[in-house]
Amino acid sequence: MLQVHSKDGSPITADTDIAADLNLDSLAVMNLLMDIEERFDVSIPLNVVPEIRTVGELARAIGDAKEGT
């Protein structure tokens, strides 16, 4: 899902910055989040979204949403 956004095919790691390294603007990030919510059947609270900068933080937010925290 994220690999298509990699600038030069570089591997995506937990430290990959979603906006800077994947060259996604705020609209693309919101679309990505909606796709993730649908795919994983979760709802990521809007107040958490500004805190998500890296792929690792996104993975934690998904995990937290799955656990209901």
Side-chain angles (χ1 to χ4, degrees), residues 5-67:
H5 299 288
S6 179
K7 291 178 185 174
D8 57 4
S10 298
I12 295 175
T13 67
D15 295 325
T16 299
D17 186 292
I18 294 169
D21 296 334
L22 300 180
N23 200 29
L24 297 176
D25 62 18
S26 58
L27 180 59
V29 170
M30 289 307 293
N31 286 334
L32 173 66
L33 288 174
M34 288 189 304
D35 289 344
I36 287 171
E37 286 180 330
E38 186 174 315
R39 176 175 280 185
F40 292 101
D41 193 29
V42 297
S43 180
I44 298 172
L46 287 177
N47 65 322
V48 174
V49 172
E51 300 170 12
I52 300 172
R53 301 193 90 62
T54 67
V55 172
E57 292 168 348
L58 176 58
R60 279 190 292 284
I62 294 167
D64 289 348
K66 288 290 261 187
E67 293 174 5

